[in-house]
């Protein structure tokens, strides 16, 4: 059933504009990413206050591996430090931490930190924070198709039984409801390979602000806009 209240159960955010934020200040791009980490902290806090159940943040795409190695290294270092420093807070806030994406591409140190954060918070019952890391939606859909084909070839499932429900259950997001609200910052009007399947009926809000400037009031304004929308899901 579609949610009927005004608070989205699941918010997904394409956190964009860190580089331009830094550039506008004559700073290196990595300073933009650092400032963006503060906005992540902020978004988690606001979602907790609003009683949102799931927050998915697009932190690093499959395509972001094509960036200069120096920037990738800085991002990975930042990610590892963020998780290390943030873990006590996540535990104290009853946040459950999860990830989606091709994690085996990440440096070992990052993977260890991710594994620890996921394990230590797995029994928390508050907000579920999902970081999309080395994530690409086309890759995710291809992986699901391969998994289903493998199961069919092994005789475990009948190809005739493959429907949208079964397909969904083979995506990285198998246990997560689809996003109700998708936000992209920095004014770009594109999806950039994010949750293509899952956002079929999400409400989209584009903010002109760069991600490091996107804070509590901006997220609340996006949720207010969501509440004013009339979701029809194809009906009249
Ligand atoms: C978003 O900011 C963070 C990542 C994609 C890792 P960008 O780094 O894309 O910043 P812009 O879009 O170049 O300003
Ligand atoms: C999308 O931002 C990916 C993340 C926010 C992690 P990009 O900056 O990589 O997207 P494009 O290149 O503008 O489409
Ligand atoms: Mg960008």
């Amino acid at each position: 059933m579609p949610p009927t209240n005004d608070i989205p159960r699941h918010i997904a955010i394409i956190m964009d504009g860190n580089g331009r934020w830094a550039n506008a200040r004559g700073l290196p791009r990595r300073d933009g990413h650092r400032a963006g980490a503060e906005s992540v902290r902020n978004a988690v806090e606001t979602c907790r206050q609003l009683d949102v159940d799931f927050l998915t943040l697009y932190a690093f795409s499959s395509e972001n591996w094509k960036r200069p190695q120096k920037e990738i290294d800085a991002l990975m270092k930042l990610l590892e430090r963020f998780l290390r420093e943030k873990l006590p807070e996540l535990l104290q806030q009853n946040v459950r931490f999860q990830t989606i994406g091709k994690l085996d591409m990440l440096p070992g140190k990052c993977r260890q930190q991710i594994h620890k954060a996921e394990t230590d918070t797995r029994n928390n019952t508050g907000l579920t924070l999902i970081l999309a890391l080395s994530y690409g939606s086309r890759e995710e859909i291809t992986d699901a198709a391969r998994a289903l084909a493998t199961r069919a070839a092994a005789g475990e499932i009948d190809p005739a039984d493959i429907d949208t429900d079964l397909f969904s259950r083979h995506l990285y997001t198998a246990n997560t409801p689809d996003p109700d609200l998708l936000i992209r910052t920095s004014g770009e009007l594109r999806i950039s390979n994010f949750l293509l399947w899952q956002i079929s009926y999400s409400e989209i809000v584009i903010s002109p602000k760069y991600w490091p400037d996107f804070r509590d009031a901006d997220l609340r304004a996006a949720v207010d806009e969501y509440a004013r929308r009339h979701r029809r899901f194809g009906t009249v």
Side-chain angles (χ1 to χ4, degrees), residues 47-154:
C47 283
R48 288 181 61 236
Q49 288 173 15
L50 291 173
D51 228 3
V52 168
D53 289 336
F54 297 89
L55 172 65
T56 301
L57 300 175
Y58 203 6
F60 195 85
S61 75
S62 311
E63 289 75 20
N64 289 151
W65 290 114
K66 293 181 222 155
R67 292 192 178 193
Q69 193 57 44
K70 207 177 110 194
E71 180 168 353
I72 295 174
D73 291 346
L75 276 165
M76 294 302 149
K77 218 179 247 170
L78 187 66
L79 169 68
E80 191 212 326
R81 204 182 67 194
F82 178 81
L83 287 176
R84 190 164 10 94
E85 291 177 0
K86 180 86 182 156
L87 184 54
E89 214 177 306
L90 295 178
L91 285 165
Q92 186 243 321
Q93 294 172 325
N94 196 23
V95 172
R96 185 167 62 144
F97 175 79
Q98 297 179 346
T99 53
I100 50 173
K102 292 211 183 290
L103 294 197
D104 50 352
M105 306 267 293
L106 299 177
K109 272 189 173 174
C110 282
R111 288 206 310 271
Q112 280 165 24
Q113 240 358 282
I114 289 165
H115 182 72
K116 182 165 169 49
E118 285 185 329
T119 312
D120 291 3
T121 65
R122 77 160 28 119
N123 294 321
N124 286 352
T125 54
L127 173 73
T128 299
L129 168 65
I130 304 164
L131 279 195
L133 290 165
S134 187
Y135 174 86
S137 186
R138 286 181 170 179
E139 288 79 353
E140 175 186 34
I141 292 170
T142 308
D143 280 353
R146 191 183 309 105
L148 285 163
T150 305
R151 292 188 61 195

